[in-house]
Amino acid sequence: MSLYPTPTLIRSIFLWKSWTPFLLLISFLLPNPIHGQTPTNHSPTYTIDFSVYPIGKTNWRDLYYQKKSGVYETLTFWSYERSPKHPYEGPLPIAFYRKEENPDPNGLPFYRTVATVQVPQTSDQQLLFFIPIAPDADAGGKEFHIVSLDESERNFPLDTITFINATGANLEGVFGNKPLFLKKGVSAPYDLTPFYSDETLIGLAVQFDGSLQKVLHSKWSFYPNYREIILLLPPKKSGSLRIQAFRITQHKEEIRPPGADPTTP
């Protein structure tokens, strides 16, 4: 399977000393149960296929989700690639667990909640980016932030690009010769067809102390019959503006058609 993902660190000319990378990204935390929660009979049930995409380095093993009530399945992570589809049938938000080595006194498996994600109730295909939380962060036992993208063809069609701004700040700039405004979160898809002939400038800046500070200035090449994701993350190190940018490219032949086997890539 060839998805041609290109993880890149975009180096800026400017320094933004007061950027607090992960603080702004942390969402509210839900209680951390001792065992994996089993949905009640009154919980609405949703059917979703999702893939997972790992960002950064951490322990990606022994991570699970409930495929359906009481049935735990291992999450499959591929380095810098979408995983195979994971079928899910259950309530929202979707919870993810780490299976601990030692069972509880009753001999039952011990599943600890390490992340949750709320996805749209109308979405049936999701791409979930797992972003490790810094070990020294007070995250209430959670290990990951999850950024979700609806990648159904009706919401993310071929020959478009979507920006996922997970920096914690609103960004503005240019995409080719067009103005670009990126609020925190997932952008609407942008048409790529005007940008196939030449390299395309993507320039971004952030408002800071009453002025715009440049955070990204780079040229990119795009080609027909693909769809693109650019995931923007905060800098890894405090005090230096090295924005993490992951470009994920998918060819039309790699897009899973409706009704395909969800266990295959």
Side-chain angles (χ1 to χ4, degrees), residues 101-167:
E101 292 183 1
N102 299 320
D104 72 3
N106 296 319
L108 298 174
F110 186 91
Y111 294 94
R112 176 172 56 87
T113 304
V114 294
T116 59
V117 63
Q118 182 70 48
V119 301
Q121 296 179 3
T122 56
S123 172
D124 60 359
Q125 294 187 59
Q126 288 282 317
L127 177 59
L128 306 180
F129 294 90
F130 277 64
I131 305 170
I133 297 174
D136 57 349
D138 183 11
K142 296 297 177 66
E143 296 183 23
F144 304 95
H145 302 297
I146 300 178
V147 178
S148 64
L149 170 67
D150 184 340
E151 63 170 3
S152 61
E153 289 191 69
R154 65 181 179 273
N155 290 312
F156 185 20
L158 201 63
D159 297 310
T160 64
I161 184 170
T162 293
F163 295 88
I164 301 178
N165 178 9
T167 64

Side-chain angles (χ1 to χ4, degrees), residues 27-133:
S27 59
F28 71 90
L29 301 172
L30 299 176
N32 185 27
I34 294 178
H35 301 287
Q37 295 176 333
T38 299
T40 68
N41 293 331
H42 304 292
S43 302
T45 297
Y46 302 93
T47 301
I48 299 168
D49 290 344
F50 66 85
S51 296
V52 294
Y53 194 108
I55 300 295
K57 295 181 179 180
T58 191
N59 178 13
W60 296 105
R61 292 180 292 183
D62 300 318
L63 293 172
Y64 288 75
Y65 76 106
Q66 290 195 64
K67 180 178 180 179
K68 56 185 179 179
S69 180
V71 179
Y72 289 85
E73 291 282 342
T74 306
L75 288 175
T76 300
F77 288 95
W78 289 350
S79 180
Y80 298 122
E81 285 195 53
R82 286 174 175 81
S83 74
K85 295 290 184 180
H86 294 77
Y88 173 76
E89 184 178 335
L92 298 177
I94 305 173
F96 299 92
Y97 312 93
R98 186 174 295 283
K99 186 177 182 180
E100 304 293 350
E101 292 183 1
N102 299 320
D104 72 3
N106 296 319
L108 298 174
F110 186 91
Y111 294 94
R112 176 172 56 87
T113 304
V114 294
T116 59
V117 63
Q118 182 70 48
V119 301
Q121 296 179 3
T122 56
S123 172
D124 60 359
Q125 294 187 59
Q126 288 282 317
L127 177 59
L128 306 180
F129 294 90
F130 277 64
I131 305 170
I133 297 174

